[in-house]
Every structure is written in C-alpha cells, then in structure tokens.
Amino acid sequence: MNNYELTVILRTANSESLKEKVKEILTKFEVTISEEAPWGTKRLAYEIDDEKEGYYFFALIEALPENVDKIIAEFRLIPDILRYMFVKTRPATA
C-alpha cells in the first residue's frame, strides 16, 4: 500500500452528493482514507467546462498502485469531476 494525497475539484452544484460519490469510488477499490479535509468552494484560476468556481476536496489515502489507475478510470467517466490529482507521499517517520 502506498500513501497518496488526493485532490478533487467538483462542480459546485450538488457538491455534497458528488463528494459522497467520490468516497464510494474510493471505498469500492479498498482505499483507506486516513484524513479528509473539504476545502470548500473556491474560484478557479481559469474556466473548466464553463465553470468559474469549483468545490475542492482533499484527502490523505492509502491505496494499491494498481487501484489508483482503476480509480482514475472511474473519475474520467463522471463529467462533474472537473480535475483530480494523486500525489504519492512518503510515510511519516517517528
């Protein structure tokens, strides 16, 4: 299992239901969410699909590398997910 930072930008309309859909996808692929931080609605630097604002969702997760590819494939099927980014992190040392 690898540690990742996941940032997802969602359309502002129905952002709560979209956030739950993202969590369902993560659960489907056996991802462990260790920390979750909804950043709320922010103005985008540039328009994405005619959207000027987006709802930012950030989470620290643990996932298998092959499952990350599957999650990305699912995210691409949902037009209300404007952007997403997985960043692999190192485990915290004591």
Side-chain angles (χ1 to χ4, degrees), residues 30-41:
E30 301 170 359
V31 171
T32 304
I33 300 174
S34 56
E35 189 177 325
E36 178 183 322
W39 289 347
T41 302

Side-chain angles (χ1 to χ4, degrees), residues 1-84:
M1 294 277 253
N2 292 334
N3 294 319
Y4 296 93
E5 291 180 351
L6 170 63
T7 307
V8 182
I9 304 175
L10 307 167
R11 291 190 193 275
T12 53
N14 302 324
S15 59
E16 288 301 316
S17 64
L18 291 171
K19 185 172 76 167
E20 292 304 317
K21 187 179 256 189
V22 168
K23 287 184 187 178
E24 287 174 17
I25 292 170
L26 295 176
T27 304
K28 175 180 172 182
F29 292 105
E30 301 170 359
V31 171
T32 304
I33 300 174
S34 56
E35 189 177 325
E36 178 183 322
W39 289 347
T41 302
K42 296 185 181 283
R43 184 165 176 76
L44 300 172
Y46 55 90
E47 285 188 22
I48 303 172
D49 293 338
D50 297 326
E51 292 287 329
K52 294 181 181 182
E53 292 185 335
Y55 182 85
Y56 283 70
F57 174 74
F58 177 81
L60 298 175
I61 62 171
E62 282 186 26
L64 295 171
E66 57 270 13
N67 285 350
V68 171
D69 293 334
K70 294 174 186 174
I71 293 167
I72 289 171
E74 292 249 350
F75 281 178
R76 287 184 179 154
L77 297 175
I78 303 171
D80 291 330
I81 296 177
L82 300 175
R83 293 287 186 270
Y84 53 86

